[in-house]
Amino acid sequence: MIEPSILKGFKDSLPKEEIAKKNIQRTLEDVFSSYGFVPIDTPVLEYENILLGKGGGETDKQIFHFEDNGKRKVAMRFDLTVPFARFLALHFSELAIPFKRYHIAKAFRGENPQKGRYREFIQCDFDIVGADNASSDFEILSLMNSSFSALGINGYTFCLAHRGLFNEFLSSLMLSDKATDILRSVDKMRKIGKEKVKQELEEITGSGEKTDKIISYISANENRSFTQTLDYISSLIGEKTESYERMMSIYSLLDKAGIKEHFVYDPSITRGLDYYTGIVYETFLSGIESIGSVCSGGRYNNLVSLYSKENLPGVGASIGLDRLVAALSEIGSPLVSNTSSADIVVFPKPGEEEKAQIAASELRSLGLRTDVYLRPEKKMKAQFEYAEKNSIPYALTFTEEGYALKNLATRESKSTLSLREVKELCL
Amino acid sequence: MIEPSILKGFKDSLPKEEIAKKNIQRTLEDVFSSYGFVPIDTPVLEYENILLGKGGGETDKQIFHFEDNGKRKVAMRFDLTVPFARFLALHFSELAIPFKRYHIAKAFRGENPQKGRYREFIQCDFDIVGADNASSDFEILSLMNSSFSALGINGYTFCLAHRGLFNEFLSSLMLSDKATDILRSVDKMRKIGKEKVKQELEEITGSGEKTDKIISYISANENRSFTQTLDYISSLIGEKTESYERMMSIYSLLDKAGIKEHFVYDPSITRGLDYYTGIVYETFLSGIESIGSVCSGGRYNNLVSLYSKENLPGVGASIGLDRLVAALSEIGSPLVSNTSSADIVVFPKPGEEEKAQIAASELRSLGLRTDVYLRPEKKMKAQFEYAEKNSIPYALTFTEEGYALKNLATRESKSTLSLREVKELCL
């Protein structure tokens, strides 16, 4: 006998978790479709040099890679962004541009698993590629808003910033050459706090005065509205640049679409990654901000450059589905808690197996998800346990006069029913 | 620049294919749910010895396996059956038994790609575990019938047989010790023809007389009905065994459920795999039988034995989703051909971007999947190409009096419309 173990950092998804994931995935897919976004998929395995080409900090140890039977160096995708860039380069001429796509799929990292992080995880990415204007920035934000609204979440806040504005500000301080380090430090503020960031900035800039100015910039939204913050940081930069105009156009669209209350301008949002060039954002859920951003992204203008001469600007966002499931479960969302396997289960007595299957067929055609308990020789207790484990609310049994329905929570019964009456009572 | 290539035997799924796959997957999931089946998932990577433990003919070369960074011997799953057995052994006490689950996921094989077969493919498996009776056999068959009906396929035939009956027949011929070879040979009949099978059987059995009897057994359904075939092969066996009674009970259920016309008893169906012990089946679509079975399976009674002392009987089936997509595409199913990305696209002129986004929001809230063309500065030709590539049937534009709607197939226009009228015209 082989011990049925599972690899470290991996886990099975049991029915209740998988039902919750599918509920969430369907909800998101419906929203994406309502915006005209289309799905794609790419292989789990790619040439290693395609995935590592970017060289963006992913090291050997963090990815699963090996030599296949044909001596090719292959690797399992560690995100959906790099395969998307490769996909765009390969299929550019076949696609409708601007290309609006979503991709929900597994990715893999060999890193040491931390609390709530696994070596196999589901990413949900959505992007618009081939347009660089306020409308497309807005469309991604609007799609994010519609998604979180559809997920039934009441309190969510999108924190926006613009990388161009930050770069222009750093340029005005003659700090452009240190921009990457500064952005990475500021990016950690939610984790390590303002004081720590201040210390780091002093080391990076070597100047208390410049550090104070940066701190003042990234704290600009304290006690200021969206547009006041923008005006204030423009005054720090010394002019109203294109980036400023873009942000104001986006804000105007958010305002006219009636969704501005979910958005704040937060100049401390930088997103550490090098490739962002415009708007950047993170998403926090009220009361559980500490779990971190559940949807993040931004505008990038040269993602495909590694594989193609096309210069494709893009804007997009990414949701870590596992973290989102955890968050929705903490909030108590019905998408996560409604995990009944069926609306009703038929409990036949021995000899009633045929009747049970026929009744089940009819209930299904009336629109009820109908299970049949397939071990009628078992004791009643086993039957009720079965219904309970599956969170099935009702049971159908047969009496001499007709059908009887039991509410399994209250243990109330009604008898002498038609299947149509059963259906009405179950809804 | 890195050449954006893709590994041999792998492929990207472009939007139209991926939309079709998602349509099919959702349709199947809805049917599975209507029967109270629940989804699960397992990791892509498992310990190599877990996956190969069965030793069922899968060799080193056919699977992707490697040593991970922690020196563990790991492999990518090559089907969903072995991981399911491991899953059952590990989670038995947490599950509701009988356990009815489905699993739609990718599997991987390193074998040389043949026409239409890839190294990465999607399997859809559904099983009932923990019950051994006619009701559960019937339930899987009924679920298969509901699935193919829901997929909008008119002509489909489920070919059933019973491994127990075949074994009893071979036993009556004193050929039990050669059963595996005989089953494997008969299994090839659709591919290599009856004459070739006859030659093989003569070699295996060393007897012309016994070969003739086997040929007569596996051809028993020619000119015989379901029950006539059963009665005839019973007469060949010499008695009415338990297997015969089981098949008759299943037939009675198919009859009472009004779905028997989709089922034939075909004694030549054996399924090569060792682990089947009862009913076995394959599914053929009218007119494209040559692509082979699109849904196959059977009853097995000791799948989990490698990992657990539990003796869990089960019955299930498996659909190769890639082959099903190809089949539905050949048949012209709307699930595969309806791949429009949206119901309507808004074409703003430069300066109308805000209006376009607002109108799109309203159309979405009216229930239309609404896209906005994000490059208003482009020529009309580019806009129409965009709609065509995305198979979007209608376009909305703005006039001084209100909204105008263009049917992109007929090029007919209507103007001075309200958005509600637009919605009515699009449905």
Side-chain angles (χ1 to χ4, degrees):
Chain A
M1 225 172 68
I2 300 173
E3 181 67 26
S5 52
I6 201 164
L7 286 164
K8 187 184 161 194
F10 289 80
K11 69 187 181 76
D12 288 323
S13 187
L14 274 92
K16 293 204 177 290
E17 181 180 344
E18 193 63 16
I19 290 171
K21 274 190 206 163
K22 286 200 186 277
N23 287 343
I24 291 169
Q25 188 171 332
R26 274 204 184 198
T27 303
L28 292 173
E29 286 180 348
D30 286 342
V31 176
F32 297 159
S33 293
S34 77
Y35 277 72
F37 278 57
V38 291
I40 66 159
D41 193 25
T42 66
V44 165
L45 283 181
E46 299 252 7
Y47 281 107
E48 187 182 28
N49 73 323
I50 294 266
L51 294 189
L52 289 183
K54 206 180 56 158
E58 297 298 332
T59 68
D60 253 19
K61 283 211 166 173
Q62 285 176 308
I63 72 163
F64 288 103
H65 61 123
F66 58 99
E67 204 169 78
D68 76 3
N69 291 324
K71 302 281 176 209
R72 297 170 200 91
K73 289 195 162 189
V74 302
M76 296 171 80
R77 63 182 171 210
F78 54 83
D79 70 9
L80 303 180
T81 307
V82 181
F84 183 44
R86 197 270 306 142
F87 177 98
L88 286 169
L90 198 57
H91 300 292
F92 183 74
S93 63
E94 300 160 72
L95 304 173
I97 306 291
F99 185 51
K100 305 179 181 184
R101 84 87 174 78
Y102 69 91
H103 190 187
I104 304 177
K106 284 183 174 178
F108 304 83
R109 293 194 187 190
E111 65 195 347
N112 269 337
Q114 297 165 358
K115 184 180 165 286
R117 289 181 72 167
Y118 290 88
R119 288 180 172 173
E120 176 183 76
F121 51 95
I122 301 173
Q123 283 294 115
C124 167
D125 282 18
F126 44 102
D127 293 81
I128 300 172
V129 165
D132 181 5
N133 50 40
S135 290
S136 25
D137 290 338
F138 163 78
E139 201 168 289
I140 286 289
L141 296 175
S142 168
L143 178 49
M144 283 161 55
N145 184 68
S146 297
S147 298
F148 281 86
S149 164
L151 289 170
I153 299 170
N154 283 321
Y156 53 88
T157 303
F158 304 109
C159 295
L160 312 185
H162 195 294
R163 277 283 279 269
L165 284 172
F166 204 169
N167 287 335
E168 288 152 13
F169 168 68
L170 292 178
S171 169
S172 77
L173 294 182
M174 313 286 263
L175 285 171
S176 294
D177 55 331
K178 290 170 177 164
T180 303
D181 287 343
I182 294 169
L183 286 166
R184 291 224 166 117
S185 178
V186 170
D187 189 42
K188 290 184 283 183
M189 195 162 80
R190 274 195 165 71
K191 264 192 198 157
I192 64 175
K194 202 188 274 184
E195 273 314 303
K196 275 263 170 63
V197 169
K198 197 174 169 180
Q199 282 170 29
E200 286 192 9
L201 289 174
E202 275 168 0
E203 276 170 45
I204 296 168
T205 64
S207 154
E209 193 193 345
K210 287 182 177 179
T211 296
D212 285 345
K213 283 191 176 163
I214 298 173
I215 294 293
S216 161
Y217 178 97
I218 62 180
S219 316
N221 63 320
E222 290 166 15
N223 304 315
R224 287 191 186 89
S225 72
F226 197 111
T227 51
Q228 283 169 345
T229 306
L230 271 178
D231 284 334
Y232 177 72
I233 64 181
S234 270
S235 76
L236 293 180
I237 294 169
E239 58 173 329
K240 293 194 166 163
T241 62
E242 256 186 55
S243 306
Y244 170 85
E245 299 299 342
R246 170 69 66 92
M247 272 317 308
M248 289 301 276
S249 302
I250 294 169
Y251 181 76
S252 164
L253 279 159
L254 295 173
D255 185 8
K256 296 218 169 95
I259 57 175
K260 70 173 177 190
E261 76 270 25
H262 290 292
F263 295 84
V264 300
Y265 194 91
D266 179 346
S268 75
I269 300 290
T270 68
R271 307 292 301 143
L273 298 167
D274 288 340
Y275 55 76
Y276 291 115
T277 54
I279 189 175
V280 285
Y281 29 81
E282 299 190 346
T283 309
F284 299 95
L285 305 185
S286 309
I288 51 170
E289 288 85 354
S290 63
I291 69 162
S293 171
V294 292
C295 175
S296 314
R299 169 165 290 284
Y300 47 87
N301 278 342
N302 51 5
L303 192 65
V304 192
S305 61
L306 197 59
Y307 313 104
S308 162
K309 280 172 203 152
E310 292 289 341
N311 193 1
L312 277 178
V315 60
S318 185
I319 296 173
L321 217 66
D322 308 272
R323 185 185 282 187
L324 185 60
V325 173
L328 291 181
S329 153
E330 206 154 317
I331 288 173
S333 153
L335 291 174
V336 174
S337 53
N338 284 353
T339 56
S340 68
S341 68
D343 301 316
I344 185 168
V345 58
V346 184
F347 283 152
K349 288 189 283 290
E352 294 177 340
E353 291 88 348
E354 279 198 5
K355 264 162 89 172
Q357 292 292 344
I358 307 306
S361 282
E362 287 183 38
L363 287 172
R364 282 178 206 128
S365 66
L366 292 171
L368 285 187
R369 295 177 304 147
T370 308
D371 194 3
V372 177
Y373 184 70
L374 291 172
R375 301 289 301 273
E377 75 281 10
K378 288 260 182 185
K379 290 193 180 135
M380 194 108 98
K381 187 163 167 271
Q383 307 197 3
F384 285 111
E385 273 176 12
Y386 177 84
E388 204 177 320
K389 275 196 174 176
N390 282 312
S391 310
I392 305 173
Y394 292 98
L396 185 85
T397 54
F398 302 99
T399 65
E400 277 177 25
E401 301 84 33
Y403 302 101
L405 182 72
K406 194 179 199 94
N407 180 322
L408 292 169
T410 64
R411 299 280 158 130
E412 277 177 294
S413 281
K414 285 199 178 173
S415 51
T416 333
L417 298 167
S418 72
L419 289 180
R420 229 164 244 292
E421 289 166 327
V422 166
K423 185 216 162 185
E424 294 306 320
L425 288 166
C426 285
L427 293 180
Chain B
M1 225 172 66
I2 301 173
E3 181 65 25
S5 52
I6 200 163
L7 286 164
K8 186 183 161 195
F10 289 81
K11 68 187 180 77
D12 288 323
S13 187
L14 275 92
K16 293 203 178 291
E17 181 181 345
E18 193 63 16
I19 290 170
K21 273 190 206 163
K22 285 199 185 278
N23 286 343
I24 292 169
Q25 187 170 334
R26 273 204 186 201
T27 303
L28 292 173
E29 286 180 347
D30 286 342
V31 177
F32 297 158
S33 293
S34 78
Y35 276 71
F37 279 57
V38 290
I40 66 159
D41 193 26
T42 65
V44 165
L45 283 181
E46 300 252 9
Y47 281 107
E48 187 182 28
N49 73 323
I50 294 267
L51 295 189
L52 289 182
K54 205 179 56 159
E58 299 298 334
T59 67
D60 252 21
K61 283 211 166 172
Q62 285 177 307
I63 72 163
F64 288 104
H65 60 124
F66 58 98
E67 204 168 78
D68 76 2
N69 291 324
K71 302 281 177 207
R72 297 171 203 91
K73 288 194 162 190
V74 302
M76 296 171 80
R77 63 180 171 212
F78 54 83
D79 70 8
L80 303 181
T81 307
V82 181
F84 183 44
R86 196 270 306 142
F87 176 97
L88 286 169
L90 197 57
H91 300 291
F92 182 75
S93 63
E94 301 161 72
L95 304 173
I97 306 291
F99 185 51
K100 306 180 182 183
R101 83 88 174 77
Y102 69 91
H103 189 188
I104 305 178
K106 284 183 173 177
F108 305 83
R109 293 195 188 192
E111 64 195 348
N112 268 336
Q114 297 164 0
K115 183 178 165 286
R117 288 180 73 166
Y118 290 88
R119 289 181 171 172
E120 176 183 77
F121 51 96
I122 302 173
Q123 283 295 114
C124 167
D125 281 19
F126 45 103
D127 293 81
I128 300 171
V129 165
D132 181 6
N133 50 40
S135 291
S136 23
D137 290 338
F138 164 78
E139 200 168 289
I140 286 290
L141 297 175
S142 169
L143 178 49
M144 282 161 55
N145 184 68
S146 297
S147 297
F148 281 85
S149 165
L151 289 171
I153 299 170
N154 283 321
Y156 54 89
T157 303
F158 303 109
C159 295
L160 312 185
H162 195 295
R163 278 281 279 268
L165 284 172
F166 204 170
N167 287 335
E168 288 151 11
F169 168 69
L170 291 179
S171 169
S172 76
L173 295 182
M174 314 285 264
L175 285 172
S176 294
D177 55 330
K178 289 170 178 163
T180 303
D181 286 343
I182 294 169
L183 287 166
R184 290 224 166 118
S185 178
V186 171
D187 189 42
K188 289 185 283 184
M189 194 161 81
R190 276 196 163 72
K191 263 192 200 158
I192 64 176
K194 203 188 274 185
E195 274 314 304
K196 275 262 170 64
V197 170
K198 199 174 168 182
Q199 282 170 30
E200 285 191 10
L201 289 174
E202 276 169 359
E203 276 171 46
I204 296 168
T205 64
S207 155
E209 194 194 343
K210 287 182 178 179
T211 296
D212 286 345
K213 282 191 177 163
I214 298 173
I215 294 292
S216 161
Y217 179 97
I218 62 178
S219 316
N221 63 320
E222 290 166 15
N223 304 316
R224 285 192 187 89
S225 72
F226 197 110
T227 52
Q228 284 169 345
T229 305
L230 271 178
D231 284 335
Y232 177 72
I233 64 180
S234 270
S235 75
L236 293 179
I237 294 168
E239 58 174 328
K240 292 192 167 162
T241 61
E242 256 187 55
S243 306
Y244 169 86
E245 299 299 342
R246 170 70 65 92
M247 272 316 309
M248 288 301 276
S249 302
I250 294 169
Y251 181 76
S252 165
L253 279 159
L254 294 173
D255 185 9
K256 297 220 168 92
I259 56 176
K260 69 174 177 189
E261 75 269 26
H262 290 292
F263 295 84
V264 301
Y265 194 91
D266 179 345
S268 76
I269 299 291
T270 68
R271 307 293 301 146
L273 298 167
D274 289 339
Y275 55 77
Y276 290 117
T277 55
I279 189 174
V280 285
Y281 29 81
E282 299 191 346
T283 309
F284 299 96
L285 306 186
S286 309
I288 51 170
E289 288 85 355
S290 64
I291 69 161
S293 171
V294 293
C295 175
S296 315
R299 169 165 292 282
Y300 47 87
N301 278 340
N302 50 5
L303 192 65
V304 191
S305 61
L306 197 59
Y307 313 105
S308 162
K309 279 171 203 154
E310 293 289 342
N311 193 3
L312 277 179
V315 60
S318 185
I319 295 174
L321 217 66
D322 308 273
R323 186 185 281 186
L324 185 61
V325 173
L328 291 182
S329 152
E330 206 155 318
I331 289 172
S333 154
L335 291 174
V336 174
S337 53
N338 285 353
T339 55
S340 68
S341 66
D343 301 315
I344 186 168
V345 57
V346 183
F347 284 152
K349 289 189 282 290
E352 293 177 340
E353 290 89 347
E354 279 198 4
K355 264 162 89 173
Q357 291 292 345
I358 307 307
S361 281
E362 287 184 39
L363 287 172
R364 282 178 205 127
S365 66
L366 293 171
L368 286 186
R369 295 178 303 147
T370 307
D371 194 4
V372 177
Y373 184 69
L374 291 171
R375 301 288 301 272
E377 74 280 11
K378 287 260 182 185
K379 288 190 181 138
M380 195 107 97
K381 186 162 169 276
Q383 307 197 4
F384 284 111
E385 273 176 12
Y386 178 84
E388 204 176 320
K389 276 197 174 175
N390 281 312
S391 310
I392 305 173
Y394 292 98
L396 185 84
T397 53
F398 302 98
T399 64
E400 276 177 26
E401 300 85 31
Y403 303 101
L405 183 71
K406 194 178 200 93
N407 179 322
L408 292 169
T410 63
R411 300 279 157 130
E412 277 176 295
S413 281
K414 286 200 177 171
S415 50
T416 333
L417 298 167
S418 72
L419 289 181
R420 230 164 241 291
E421 289 166 326
V422 166
K423 186 218 162 184
E424 294 305 319
L425 288 166
C426 285
L427 292 181

